[in-house]
């Protein structure tokens, strides 16, 4: 089962939910096929991702993935974040990846077994990548 | 008469998924295929297959006869003339054909109003919306209420738009509501009436003449037939004056380097090599359904739907959508308080072998409209959808309901 206690706890986490009024970047992401939507609010400190919050809704996997992502990327440089995002994607797509970079993202490794759920996991990561590359 | 289904005809149902007996409740998306239909298709491919209408050799003539027999079966099924039965790739193509051909023939023009309903599948929304942008016709809607239901009052209110064309679903793929088509015809006496029969036709024998339909589209794969084949019924006098949708081989009469004249109907709407085995297979599927009997099928599905609604209503953590009355057939959409539909569907599949659909069911505006009536603390803009067909049983419903109880316990 992909719904481990740890993932369920992350799905229910409230800490990163909400708007940031003066965010430097706001990015909306959507999974057209299922209707899941998130909006990421990003605050930078120079080259670092200083704070991230999100609004939106979706399944437990996409919500937990968003919370874990925010926990992992906060305080990292944009370059580091892009590297982590690539490895997270590689992990879930069954390609080679560097486990050392991922921390709690590794909780989602099993999601790769369910092709229909991969996009739930990837929604926040894809949205973040687009936000950083703009 | 009770429905007599031979479960041997549906070997898929004997397979296990995730170690559980498969409970297939995603029939609104597509149905399973009876083995006899598949076997006959194999026989056709091996013994009678060739291109149709062209060569004079034996295989070509067998294939042509089989293809035209399928057309005859469909025509008889709908009480239409064979020349009014056009084979398409499915309901989606049927609507696209109707909209484009009506525009090209000047039957639908700038300034005209097309009346749709808010309960439409994207297939009966997007073609109209997009082409209205290029051709300047207007679109109005029959509104759904907070349960996603089209009431007779709402249908009547549509009259004020004086629509030239009314295009509505016969049976909602989200709410399960069967639309009162007789009433729609009565209210819009002079309009061209297009009906999206993708969900209705698999459950009900329609008489297009009796109902006064001008166009009807449906898909074979939702009624035991193969994928990639569907039907457009069109009223003869309209089809005759309509410009074709696709151009190419087979649909022509004479071609020079400058000019083209068209073949007669229905051939002028069937350009290029058709899905020959698909068409023939759809004919076999129809034979199969007719042998079971549409009356028995309808009764079986109605009984099961009633049971499904009854059992789900007992779960206080479940919110149901749609009419929940006699007009509610086969398809039941619901949500589990506090658990996202994808999670519900995933766990039902993994732990209980139950296949249901989750998401917006290609009807985003309708699913969003359900938010108006929700009592959930957080409406997910999607639903879980269970849909029953001829091979489902009360036991299937029980497995799902038990699954929902357990799942609610796990997720809290
Ligand atoms: C009401 C309705 N209309 C149209 C369609 C489109 O059918 P198809 O995808 O076979 O073209 C569907 C299928 O999901 C449907 O449920």
């Amino acid at each position: 089962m992909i719904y481990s206690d740890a993932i369920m706890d992350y799905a229910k986490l409230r800490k990163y939910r909400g708007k940031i009024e003066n965010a430097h970047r706001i990015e909306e992401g959507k999974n057209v096929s299922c209707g899941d939507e998130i909006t990421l609010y990003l605050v930078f400190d120079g080259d670092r991702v200083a704070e991230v919050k999100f609004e939106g809704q979706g399944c437990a996997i996409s919500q937990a993935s968003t919370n874990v992502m925010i926990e992992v990327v906060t305080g990292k440089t944009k370059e580091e974040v892009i590297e982590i995002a690539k490895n997270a994607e590689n992990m879930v797509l069954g390609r080679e990846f560097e486990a050392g970079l991922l921390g709690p993202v590794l909780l989602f490794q099993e999601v790769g077994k369910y092709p229909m759920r991969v996009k739930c996991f990837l929604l926040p990561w894809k949205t973040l990548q687009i936000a950083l590359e703009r | 008469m009770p429905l007599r289904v031979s479960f041997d005809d549906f070997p898929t149902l004997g397979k296990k998924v995730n170690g559980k007996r498969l409970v297939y409740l995603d029939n609104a998306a597509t149905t399973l295929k009876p083995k006899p239909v598949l076997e006959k298709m194999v026989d056709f491919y091996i013994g009678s297959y060739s291109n149709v209408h062209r060569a004079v050799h034996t295989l070509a003539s067998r294939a042509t006869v089989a293809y035209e027999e399928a057309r005859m079966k469909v025509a008889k099924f709908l009480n239409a003339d064979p020349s009014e039965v056009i084979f398409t790739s499915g309901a989606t193509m049927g609507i696209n054909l109707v909209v484009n051909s009506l525009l090209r023939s000047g039957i639908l023009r700038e300034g005209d109003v097309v009346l749709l309903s808010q309960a439409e599948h994207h297939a009966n929304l997007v073609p109209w919306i997009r082409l209205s942008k290029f051709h300047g016709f207007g679109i109005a809607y029959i509104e759904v209420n907070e349960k996603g239901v089209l009431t007779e009052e709402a249908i009547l209110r549509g009259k004020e738009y004086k629509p030239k064309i009314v295009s509505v679903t016969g049976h909602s793929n989200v709410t399960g509501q069967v639309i009162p088509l007789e009433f729609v015809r009565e209210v819009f006496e002079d309009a061209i009436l297009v009906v999206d029969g993708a969900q209705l036709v698999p459950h009900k024998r329609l008489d297009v003449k009796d109902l006064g339909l001008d166009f009807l589209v449906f898909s074979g794969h939702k009624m035991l037939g193969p994928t990639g084949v569907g039907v457009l019924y069109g009223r003869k006098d309209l089809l005759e004056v309509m410009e074709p949708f696709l151009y190419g081989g087979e649909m022509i009469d004479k071609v020079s380097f400058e000019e083209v004249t068209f073949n007669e109907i229905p051939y002028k709407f069937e350009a290029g090599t058709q899905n020959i085995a698909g068409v023939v297979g759809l004919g076999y599927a129809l034979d199969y359904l007719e042998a079971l009997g549409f009356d028995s099928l309808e009764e079986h599905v109605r009984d099961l739907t009633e049971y499904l609604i009854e059992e789900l209503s007992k779960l206080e953590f479940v919110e149901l959508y749609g009419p929940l009355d006699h007009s509610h057939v086969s398809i039941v959409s619901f949500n589990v308080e506090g658990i996202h539909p994808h999670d519900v569907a995933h766990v039902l599949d993994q732990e209980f072998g139950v296949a249901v659909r989750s998401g917006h069911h290609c009807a985003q505006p309708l699913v969003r409209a359900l938010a108006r009536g929700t009592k959930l603390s957080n409406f997910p803009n999607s639903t879980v959808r269970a849909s029953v067909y001829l091979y489902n049983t009360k036991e299937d419903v029980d497995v799902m309901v038990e699954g929902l109880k357990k799942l609610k316990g796990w997720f809290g």
Side-chain angles (χ1 to χ4, degrees):
Chain A
M1 265 274 265
I2 53 177
Y3 300 98
S4 60
D5 289 345
I7 285 185
M8 290 313 291
D9 287 345
Y10 271 114
K12 289 180 200 140
L13 197 68
R14 306 296 304 173
K15 176 160 129 189
Y16 300 121
R17 277 185 189 273
K19 239 191 194 104
I20 301 178
E21 282 306 335
N22 301 311
H24 295 127
R25 202 156 295 168
I26 301 173
E27 192 72 44
E28 284 176 34
K30 223 183 225 151
N31 271 338
V32 279
S33 61
C34 62
D36 287 359
E37 293 174 351
I38 61 161
T39 306
L40 291 179
Y41 299 88
L42 301 165
V43 176
F44 299 111
D45 175 10
D47 197 36
R48 281 185 191 279
V49 176
E51 194 189 358
V52 187
K53 286 200 162 193
F54 80 103
E55 288 184 308
Q57 53 175 348
C59 61
I61 300 303
S62 73
Q63 303 298 290
S65 175
T66 308
N67 280 316
V68 167
M69 178 188 82
I70 295 175
E71 186 178 297
V72 169
V73 304
T74 304
K76 302 271 193 321
T77 67
K78 290 183 196 173
E79 212 175 310
E80 287 168 339
V81 171
I82 288 172
E83 202 48 38
I84 296 170
K86 275 188 197 142
N87 277 281
E89 184 170 351
N90 284 343
M91 173 193 82
V92 79
L93 295 177
R95 302 192 198 122
E96 252 179 65
F97 67 99
E98 225 176 291
L101 287 176
L102 294 181
V105 181
L106 292 170
L107 289 171
F108 296 91
Q109 201 166 346
E110 220 198 317
V111 174
K113 281 200 236 154
Y114 305 99
M116 309 305 286
R117 303 309 298 279
V118 165
K119 63 181 188 325
C120 313
F121 166 78
L122 282 177
L123 175 64
W125 290 102
K126 293 271 184 205
T127 311
L128 181 65
Q129 269 172 309
I130 292 167
L132 294 181
E133 279 160 13
R134 263 210 286 134
Chain B
M1 239 192 4
L3 192 69
R4 302 178 77 97
V5 181
S6 161
F7 286 92
D8 292 342
D9 289 351
F10 296 92
T12 315
L13 292 173
K15 306 257 183 244
K16 300 230 155 168
V17 292
N18 309 314
K20 315 284 181 314
R21 174 177 80 87
L22 169 65
V23 173
Y24 188 76
L25 294 174
D26 194 18
N27 293 288
T30 198
T31 61
L32 304 176
K33 314 303 169 201
K35 203 165 167 210
V37 169
L38 300 176
E39 284 168 349
K40 281 185 168 175
M41 284 179 73
V42 172
D43 289 347
F44 169 77
Y45 259 126
I46 292 169
S48 309
Y49 176 73
S50 175
N51 212 325
V52 295
H53 298 306
R54 294 178 190 181
V56 297
H57 57 77
T58 304
L59 284 180
S61 92
R62 279 189 204 153
T64 304
V65 167
Y67 186 87
E68 290 305 321
E69 258 174 23
R71 195 190 311 277
M72 240 103 77
K73 286 177 199 171
V74 174
K76 193 155 162 260
F77 171 60
L78 301 173
N79 188 26
D81 189 82
S83 68
E84 296 175 313
V85 173
I86 295 156
F87 288 113
T88 62
S89 67
T92 302
M93 179 181 161
I95 305 265
N96 276 278
L97 188 161
V98 170
V99 186
N100 278 282
S101 290
L102 287 174
L103 280 165
R104 290 176 196 173
S105 336
I107 298 172
L108 172 57
R109 291 179 214 198
E110 190 171 344
D112 289 341
V113 173
V114 175
L115 183 68
L116 308 173
S117 90
Q118 291 183 337
E120 298 311 310
H121 186 280
H122 294 160
N124 194 28
L125 281 181
V126 181
W128 300 105
I129 294 172
R130 286 309 300 161
L131 286 163
S132 76
K133 310 279 184 214
F134 301 115
H135 296 275
F137 60 87
I139 295 178
Y141 291 95
I142 303 170
E143 290 181 7
V144 291
N145 70 12
E146 74 291 343
K147 289 162 90 186
V149 172
L150 295 166
T151 62
E152 292 200 346
E153 295 73 49
I155 293 168
L156 259 178
R157 279 199 298 276
K159 233 180 138 134
E160 70 193 60
Y161 299 109
K162 301 191 169 54
K164 176 148 194 190
I165 296 171
V166 176
S167 185
V168 289
T169 184
H171 183 177
S172 163
N173 67 309
V174 176
T175 64
Q177 183 192 8
V178 172
I179 309 307
L181 290 178
E182 294 87 352
F183 183 74
V184 173
R185 178 73 285 179
E186 214 177 283
V187 173
F188 303 100
E189 253 180 318
D190 305 320
I192 294 176
L193 179 56
V194 185
V195 169
D196 172 358
Q199 296 297 344
L200 183 61
V201 173
H203 292 279
K204 200 172 178 62
R205 176 192 283 284
L206 301 182
D207 182 325
V208 292
K209 301 288 176 228
D210 220 33
L211 282 167
L213 306 189
D214 298 305
F215 296 99
L216 172 72
V217 303
F218 58 95
S219 295
H221 70 91
K222 293 187 201 279
M223 47 192 297
L224 310 183
T227 49
V229 62
V231 171
L232 163 66
Y233 155 80
R235 212 179 74 204
K236 198 172 195 161
D237 58 316
L238 281 167
L239 291 179
E240 267 165 354
V241 298
M242 275 161 64
E243 175 77 10
F245 173 43
L246 295 176
Y247 304 111
E250 200 55 50
M251 50 81 62
I252 48 80
D253 171 31
K254 282 201 192 73
V255 180
S256 71
F257 286 122
E258 292 78 26
E259 287 299 329
V260 176
T261 57
F262 300 130
N263 201 337
E264 59 189 15
I265 60 167
Y267 308 107
K268 82 171 179 185
F269 293 101
E270 293 180 0
T273 296
Q274 298 295 295
N275 183 353
I276 301 164
V279 165
V280 172
L282 174 57
Y284 296 148
L286 207 49
D287 292 342
Y288 189 94
L289 286 166
E290 305 238 40
L292 283 175
F294 269 90
D295 290 342
S296 309
L297 188 160
E298 215 183 319
E299 201 180 304
H300 174 80
V301 170
R302 274 189 188 280
D303 285 351
L304 262 187
T305 312
E306 209 172 288
Y307 184 68
L308 180 56
I309 291 174
E310 213 174 273
E311 292 302 300
L312 284 173
S313 302
K314 290 181 190 160
L315 307 178
E316 76 290 349
F317 55 85
V318 164
E319 176 168 275
L320 291 162
Y321 309 103
L324 309 177
D325 60 17
H326 197 65
S327 69
H328 200 139
V329 176
S330 169
I331 298 164
V332 180
S333 272
F334 61 92
N335 267 311
V336 177
E337 169 69 52
I339 312 178
H340 193 277
H342 286 338
D343 298 322
V344 174
H346 186 103
V347 177
L348 283 179
D349 172 71
Q350 290 296 311
E351 301 296 318
F352 304 97
V354 178
V356 293
R357 177 75 190 273
S358 58
H360 52 57
H361 318 299
C362 294
Q364 289 179 13
L366 174 58
V367 172
R368 274 197 297 271
L370 295 177
R372 297 207 314 258
T374 190
K375 293 199 172 64
L376 300 177
S377 46
N378 198 2
F379 183 74
N381 276 333
S382 55
T383 74
V384 184
R385 180 183 75 182
S387 47
V388 295
Y389 205 38
L390 53 92
Y391 36 67
N392 290 115
T393 60
K394 287 191 173 170
E395 205 188 337
D396 292 345
V397 174
D398 293 340
V399 174
M400 183 183 77
V401 169
E402 279 313 302
L404 289 171
K405 285 185 198 161
K406 292 218 176 96
L407 173 159
K408 180 65 183 167
W410 294 337
F411 277 72

